Amino acid sequence: MTSPLKTEGGGASVVVDGDKESAKESQTAQVEGRSPGRLMWIRFKRDRTGVISAYVVGFFFLIGLLAPLISKLYGKDPYTVYADERPELFDSAGVPVQPNGGISGDFWFGLEPGNGYDVFTKLIYGIRTSLMISLAVTVAVVLTGILLGVTAGYLGGKADFFIGRVIDFLLAIPAQLFFIASMPVVVSLFVSPRDETPTYVRVVALIAVQWALGWMSLGRILRGTTLSLREREFIEAAKVSGASSRRIIGKEILPNVVTPLLVQSTYLLPNFVTAEAGLSFLGVGIVEPTPDWGQMFSKASTELVLQNDLTYMFFPGVSMIIFVVAFNLLGDSVRDAFDPKSAR
Amino acid sequence: MLTGCSSGGSKGSSDNNKKDKANAERQQALIKFGDAAASTGPAAEVPGAKSGGTMELLERDSPAHLDPAQIYTFDEMTLTQVIHRGLTGYKATSNDGGKHEVVGDLATDSGTVSDGGRTWKYTLKDGIKFQDGSPITSKDVRHSFERLFAPFITKGPTYVQQWMADTAGTDYRKLLPDGPYKGKHLPDSILETPDDKTVIFHFKKPVADLPYALGMTGYAMVEAKGDTKEKYDRAPAAAGPYKIQSFKSGKSMVLVKNDQWDPKTDPIRNQYVDEFNITFNQQYETSTKALLADSGADQTGASLQNGVDAGNLSKVLSDPKLKSRTVSGYQPYVGRININMSKPEMKDKKVREAIAYALPVTPFVRAFGGDAAMEVAGGLISPTVSGYDPTFDPFGKKKKPAGDPVKAKKLLEEAGKVGMKLTFAYINTSEGQQYSTAMAEGLKKAGFDVQRQEVPSSNWFDQVGKINNNYDIFHTSWGADWPSGQAVFPPTVDGRLIADGGSNYTQVNDPHVNSEIDRINAITDPVKAATEWAKLDKYLLTEVVYAVPTAYYKQVAIAGSKVGGLVYDDVIGGVDARRLYIK
Amino acid sequence: MLRFLIRRTLGAVVILFLLSIVTFLLFFGMPRDPALMMCGKACTPANIENIHHVLGLDKSIPEQYWTFLHNIVLGSDAFTQGPCPAPCFGYSYNTNEAVWPTLMDRLPTTVSLTLGAACVFLLVGLGTGLLAAWKRGTLIDKTFTAGSMVISSMQIYFLGPLVLAVFVYQSHLFDKPAYNPFTADPVNWFSGLIIPWVVLSTIFAAQYTRMARSSMVEQLQEEHVRTARAKGMSRRYVFFRYAWRGSLIPIVTIFGIDLGSLLGGAVITEYTFGLPGLGQLAVQSVAFSDLPLLLGVMLFAATMILLFNIIVDTCYAFIDPRVRLA
């Protein structure tokens, strides 16, 4: 339910503060011989919350990356139907007969009601799927944001007006309704209805629809930053000295928008994770048997789980809360590291 | 069952089976065609019944159609039992909903047959009227049958149309492409209405089952002068004891007494309560919870189609007080995995047997709530249909419901097809996703390369009903339109009926099966016919191997403490609204 | 002021117009033919053609689109199901009900859900946020900050089922959420929506706590506030007289946006609790390739978003005297 605009509200002031600051910093850097990046790094390392959050976030990415290896060591995979393999562990409706969702030495996080998938491997593979998708959306959004935001801000005039109207239009689209409506269409673009829909098609479709409505806030922020940079002396100087637009954008503007870019990206990624999970929850994202974080929530909201197995829903639920909290704290720390003044 | 602690096992239970079997046995008593005496109203009083009061009905499914010609689903049929009337109907001859007789409803008897089953004559009763007071005449009967051919009538049964046109599939529409609306009518050589009271059907081939078929709501009467075509679906004219006072699709319906209905003309229906107040969009657990709580208006509450939800089942069945408020029975559906016999890859019997042995049926039972809602099936004749044999278990599913991958693998090796591609279409519902993934895993163990293909639920039957579909296997269920093998096998296995949109989903076309169908169809002794259908079932599953039965559908219904006359009727597959009263 | 409203309204109409085109094209990309579904059992190609004709699907896309626009503005009598006064979105392919009355029928559910929750989360969120800012650095502040951080990271699709499982399925303390019209029975209306309200407003309130706190803290560092303090005004006076007004601006923006998008259909909440609102209608309309219904829901939802954007911008003028509308 989090509107992507929210990050914009919080971020707008950061941007303006941010570039004033970076200019000051570059002066300090000459005196002390430290680059702004290094300064930021030093400040970040001093922030204990930030460092811990970074470790937690890193841990999640590591789990996602190493999911196949972990499940190999653990000796199970998320596709085995334990309700048929080990029927003694389930009743006829597929609910684990052991208390607490069938948690045991064999099944660390228990078994999923229904087909009896192993929850532990399903969760780590689910994290892998969700993070992969969200990371791809973030990259796509950042690239689009840079391209359109910086273009609009630097060129101004008609381009700015046009991109601005496109942003206005896209912001008026009810995002969730649009996702639901467009997922089947986008999937059908990739695959004829006769063939099996491979998982990657759903993944690509999810990335595409979230990207289409995800880049506007970042685009606006970058436009604003670029707009204010354009009027600054060092850009004027570069222009006067005859540098090409390409060079100015590449050498002068881009390095100066890295700060808001990085801060915004750390706020955007968890939003994309929860939005992707929401779509799978509604049944238009990733579907069984492909493990996915959101799809586990969808399972958790079925009668079967609600009636019989409360334990199950805590694994996707708690892990996602930890992930989102850690990522948001990390975002705050990154922002503070860039801009000590805004520490709250 | 196990006694889990905090949350061990689902709270469903399974010891309702005995009663269900008894229910099923009662069904095996065969249905007769009643004579004029049996067809004379009024209907027998329900013991202890009283008149008056408002009954609350809590239903999940709002009827998509109210036009009788569009009605073919059980939720629509059970509800409209008290609204629409046809030429014949099913009269309960016992008070448990088990024994039935086909009698004349609007007609004076279940039909007079001549010409070796080719001609059926019906005479309309006196005093039968639509809710506006106009009498029901043979003109209305003619109109009701002719409009079945109109292009906008698409959802109802097609048996009678096909018999009239003597064709299979959808070709019957050519008989009267526009229905009666553009001045054309069925010739007397097919449907004859010599006077206001007489209706004569002429068929080219013998039709032994016409009285059964005419008892379906799909062949109930539509008022000729009040026919508003598409709009009739929202506001049909009632001929039965209740009429529609208001209807909000997906929300509510109020049925009030139809004062034009004369009980003396109706041998089937009673009219005890003053009003049915129906609320739709009530999920099973919502209606169960309300009826369990048994407070206020819910004391006089019931549900025609909602069963007790899986979560409350054990609670209800283990408490004698609650259990006394329930009725239970099998629904007429049998689930099966269809093997697409038209695919070259499926021509090898060993491959089909490998599928049959490998397939786990447990995923299907699980997906629908366990063995309180689904019973692992043996053959394709359900416990509600005469000829059912509880010992018949062609693929050992009752012993090994999770499949026999070892045996299957051996068969597949013998066929030399290990690793063959198997395209498995599934309906894209949460249940469909759940059981298809687990079934696919089971098939993979036997050496199949399973390719699952999702089909949107909205056009599932269109996709799997196409002759040239790409699917090797897919799951459907078949509910007999009447409790005889005749309503099970001819529609589903007759190779001469293979057509787009037909119901022979497996496209099985076996000369022996086809000739057996013709032979058994001609048998007039129902007991003999039933044993012959059972033999055909065995032949089909052991020799042809065209499908794998998965499960028989079951249901337990509950009502409020002040509801009387609660009966689970096996013919209509739900609680019988015609007998309900308030204590 | 008037000119501002006219300008914004015109802009909104243009956006709605574009959106209707996008939705329309989206539908033509959908892999399903509604006629196939309506055609039913005994379906012949001639039948399908006939349905296409009845639905107008045999005409060219621009022609169909033109009919659609025409009907919204002027209504139509051309439907076989009955007359369709403006704003006419046609009849649903699936239920044969007129779309506009269906939307109006579902709207009270969504409005009850949204407004009920909004009252709670705005008050609670602002209250706790301002309190945390006032008590900045104390234990209260830290508790609220940490708590709101965790709660706002929860999702409705986790908290909703969790609350359902604990309070409805396991303990039977509450009834399963349902919508009962306020006019029919206010008590039932309230008891049926209490769980959705609590869940929705808990998550939103936590977000508003965070926003209110940071917005207030920022305000307290502003020049004019600091100047006021330096002039010797009391902290309490500055806090309640100057700072809180300024801190409202970003919150009003977000609140307007949230309200607009929720009123267009709180999809996940309605889906989680099975409430028959606009969001659920949208999910259904996609599942059944129901173009008239889909177009109706999309345009309605977008109208809500745009309407609230305009309202928010108008509100600025009242909260912040520096803003002039032109």
Side-chain angles (χ1 to χ4, degrees), chain A residues 79 81 83-85 91-97 100 114-115 117 194-196 202 287-289 299 303 307-308, chain B residues 2 6-11 285 309 362-363 366 369-371 433-434 437-438 441 445 451-454 470-471:
Chain A
Y79 298 98
V81 180
D84 285 334
E85 294 288 323
D91 72 1
S92 68
V95 177
V97 289
N100 301 320
N115 283 335
Y117 298 114
R194 287 255 172 238
D195 296 334
E196 175 162 16
R202 292 187 162 279
V287 295
E288 216 174 287
K299 188 86 210 175
E303 294 289 321
Q307 297 265 17
N308 305 302
Chain B
L2 292 121
S6 61
S7 54
S10 73
K11 288 151 194 164
E285 68 277 7
D309 68 294
T362 38
R366 276 201 305 270
D371 53 17
Q433 272 176 18
Q434 187 184 321
T437 46
E441 281 300 311
K445 274 192 276 180
Q451 297 288 317
R452 286 163 67 248
Q453 293 198 356
E454 67 165 63
N470 279 347
Y471 314 131

Side-chain angles (χ1 to χ4, degrees), chain C residues 89-92 97-104 281 290 292-293 296-297:
Chain C
F89 287 90
Y91 281 79
S92 153
E97 300 271 351
V99 169
W100 183 251
T102 310
L103 292 182
M104 290 303 104
L281 200 64
D290 201 338
L293 205 53
V297 181

